[in-house]
PDB file of all heavy atoms in Angstrom:
ATOM      1  N   LYS X  61     -12.279  21.008  -1.423  1.00 98.00           N
ATOM      2  CA  LYS X  61     -12.712  22.396  -1.624  1.00 98.00           C
ATOM      3  C   LYS X  61     -14.236  22.484  -1.725  1.00 98.00           C
ATOM      4  O   LYS X  61     -14.866  23.316  -1.075  1.00 98.00           O
ATOM      5  CB  LYS X  61     -12.064  22.961  -2.891  1.00 98.00           C
ATOM      6  CG  LYS X  61     -12.500  24.374  -3.268  1.00 98.00           C
ATOM      7  CD  LYS X  61     -11.778  24.816  -4.537  1.00 98.00           C
ATOM      8  CE  LYS X  61     -12.232  26.084  -5.154  1.00 98.00           C
ATOM      9  NZ  LYS X  61     -12.313  27.262  -4.417  1.00 98.00           N
ATOM     10  N   ASP X  62     -14.830  21.601  -2.521  1.00 98.00           N
ATOM     11  CA  ASP X  62     -16.277  21.615  -2.703  1.00 98.00           C
ATOM     12  C   ASP X  62     -17.005  21.403  -1.370  1.00 98.00           C
ATOM     13  O   ASP X  62     -17.930  22.147  -1.034  1.00 98.00           O
ATOM     14  CB  ASP X  62     -16.697  20.555  -3.717  1.00 98.00           C
ATOM     15  CG  ASP X  62     -18.196  20.521  -3.921  1.00 98.00           C
ATOM     16  OD1 ASP X  62     -18.780  21.571  -4.269  1.00 98.00           O
ATOM     17  OD2 ASP X  62     -18.806  19.445  -3.715  1.00 98.00           O
ATOM     18  N   VAL X  63     -16.593  20.403  -0.612  1.00 98.00           N
ATOM     19  CA  VAL X  63     -17.251  20.113   0.667  1.00 98.00           C
ATOM     20  C   VAL X  63     -17.038  21.261   1.649  1.00 98.00           C
ATOM     21  O   VAL X  63     -17.986  21.724   2.284  1.00 98.00           O
ATOM     22  CB  VAL X  63     -16.734  18.779   1.263  1.00 98.00           C
ATOM     23  CG1 VAL X  63     -17.271  18.577   2.676  1.00 98.00           C
ATOM     24  CG2 VAL X  63     -17.117  17.598   0.375  1.00 98.00           C
ATOM     25  N   THR X  64     -15.807  21.744   1.763  1.00 98.00           N
ATOM     26  CA  THR X  64     -15.493  22.767   2.767  1.00 98.00           C
ATOM     27  C   THR X  64     -16.158  24.104   2.447  1.00 98.00           C
ATOM     28  O   THR X  64     -16.627  24.797   3.351  1.00 98.00           O
ATOM     29  CB  THR X  64     -13.968  22.949   2.880  1.00 98.00           C
ATOM     30  OG1 THR X  64     -13.369  21.679   3.153  1.00 98.00           O
ATOM     31  CG2 THR X  64     -13.618  23.911   4.000  1.00 98.00           C
ATOM     32  N   GLU X  65     -16.229  24.448   1.169  1.00 98.00           N
ATOM     33  CA  GLU X  65     -16.759  25.761   0.804  1.00 98.00           C
ATOM     34  C   GLU X  65     -18.270  25.772   0.538  1.00 98.00           C
ATOM     35  O   GLU X  65     -18.882  26.826   0.612  1.00 98.00           O
ATOM     36  CB  GLU X  65     -16.014  26.298  -0.418  1.00 98.00           C
ATOM     37  CG  GLU X  65     -14.568  26.638  -0.103  1.00 98.00           C
ATOM     38  CD  GLU X  65     -13.824  27.267  -1.263  1.00 98.00           C
ATOM     39  OE1 GLU X  65     -14.352  27.282  -2.398  1.00 98.00           O
ATOM     40  OE2 GLU X  65     -12.698  27.748  -1.037  1.00 98.00           O
ATOM     41  N   ASN X  66     -18.860  24.619   0.237  1.00 97.00           N
ATOM     42  CA  ASN X  66     -20.263  24.624  -0.182  1.00 97.00           C
ATOM     43  C   ASN X  66     -21.229  23.918   0.768  1.00 97.00           C
ATOM     44  O   ASN X  66     -22.420  23.894   0.511  1.00 97.00           O
ATOM     45  CB  ASN X  66     -20.385  24.016  -1.577  1.00 97.00           C
ATOM     46  CG  ASN X  66     -19.677  24.866  -2.604  1.00 97.00           C
ATOM     47  OD1 ASN X  66     -19.842  26.081  -2.630  1.00 97.00           O
ATOM     48  ND2 ASN X  66     -18.875  24.247  -3.444  1.00 97.00           N
ATOM     49  N   LYS X  67     -20.725  23.351   1.843  1.00 97.00           N
ATOM     50  CA  LYS X  67     -21.591  22.762   2.864  1.00 97.00           C
ATOM     51  C   LYS X  67     -21.329  23.490   4.173  1.00 97.00           C
ATOM     52  O   LYS X  67     -20.313  24.161   4.324  1.00 97.00           O
ATOM     53  CB  LYS X  67     -21.307  21.266   3.003  1.00 97.00           C
ATOM     54  CG  LYS X  67     -21.638  20.495   1.745  1.00 97.00           C
ATOM     55  CD  LYS X  67     -21.853  19.028   2.049  1.00 97.00           C
ATOM     56  CE  LYS X  67     -22.216  18.244   0.827  1.00 97.00           C
ATOM     57  NZ  LYS X  67     -23.515  18.530   0.273  1.00 97.00           N
ATOM     58  N   ARG X  68     -22.247  23.340   5.118  1.00 96.00           N
ATOM     59  CA  ARG X  68     -22.097  23.989   6.416  1.00 96.00           C
ATOM     60  C   ARG X  68     -22.284  22.962   7.523  1.00 96.00           C
ATOM     61  O   ARG X  68     -23.245  22.190   7.501  1.00 96.00           O
ATOM     62  CB  ARG X  68     -23.102  25.131   6.578  1.00 96.00           C
ATOM     63  CG  ARG X  68     -22.812  26.265   5.629  1.00 96.00           C
ATOM     64  CD  ARG X  68     -23.773  27.402   5.787  1.00 96.00           C
ATOM     65  NE  ARG X  68     -23.507  28.367   4.725  1.00 96.00           N
ATOM     66  CZ  ARG X  68     -23.662  29.659   4.849  1.00 96.00           C
ATOM     67  NH1 ARG X  68     -24.099  30.165   5.963  1.00 96.00           N
ATOM     68  NH2 ARG X  68     -23.397  30.460   3.840  1.00 96.00           N
ATOM     69  N   PHE X  69     -21.355  22.973   8.465  1.00 97.00           N
ATOM     70  CA  PHE X  69     -21.402  22.065   9.604  1.00 97.00           C
ATOM     71  C   PHE X  69     -21.193  22.851  10.880  1.00 97.00           C
ATOM     72  O   PHE X  69     -20.456  23.844  10.900  1.00 97.00           O
ATOM     73  CB  PHE X  69     -20.286  21.009   9.498  1.00 97.00           C
ATOM     74  CG  PHE X  69     -20.462  20.065   8.340  1.00 97.00           C
ATOM     75  CD1 PHE X  69     -19.889  20.350   7.112  1.00 97.00           C
ATOM     76  CD2 PHE X  69     -21.199  18.897   8.479  1.00 97.00           C
ATOM     77  CE1 PHE X  69     -20.039  19.481   6.033  1.00 97.00           C
ATOM     78  CE2 PHE X  69     -21.349  18.025   7.416  1.00 97.00           C
ATOM     79  CZ  PHE X  69     -20.779  18.318   6.197  1.00 97.00           C
ATOM     80  N   GLN X  70     -21.815  22.395  11.962  1.00 96.00           N
ATOM     81  CA  GLN X  70     -21.565  22.999  13.264  1.00 96.00           C
ATOM     82  C   GLN X  70     -20.267  22.459  13.854  1.00 96.00           C
ATOM     83  O   GLN X  70     -19.480  23.199  14.426  1.00 96.00           O
ATOM     84  CB  GLN X  70     -22.722  22.712  14.221  1.00 96.00           C
ATOM     85  CG  GLN X  70     -23.995  23.455  13.861  1.00 96.00           C
ATOM     86  CD  GLN X  70     -25.063  23.287  14.914  1.00 96.00           C
ATOM     87  OE1 GLN X  70     -24.803  23.460  16.111  1.00 96.00           O
ATOM     88  NE2 GLN X  70     -26.256  22.938  14.480  1.00 96.00           N
ATOM     89  N   MET X  71     -20.039  21.167  13.679  1.00 97.00           N
ATOM     90  CA  MET X  71     -18.890  20.512  14.288  1.00 97.00           C
ATOM     91  C   MET X  71     -17.812  20.208  13.249  1.00 97.00           C
ATOM     92  O   MET X  71     -18.114  19.675  12.174  1.00 97.00           O
ATOM     93  CB  MET X  71     -19.323  19.202  14.963  1.00 97.00           C
ATOM     94  CG  MET X  71     -20.429  19.365  16.001  1.00 97.00           C
ATOM     95  SD  MET X  71     -19.962  20.427  17.375  1.00 97.00           S
ATOM     96  CE  MET X  71     -18.644  19.493  18.096  1.00 97.00           C
TER      97      MET X  71
END
Side-chain angles (χ1 to χ4, degrees):
K61 176 180 171 53
D62 179 56
V63 172
T64 305
E65 292 184 350
N66 295 313
K67 296 201 179 291
R68 293 181 187 213
F69 294 91
Q70 290 187 49
M71 304 299 296

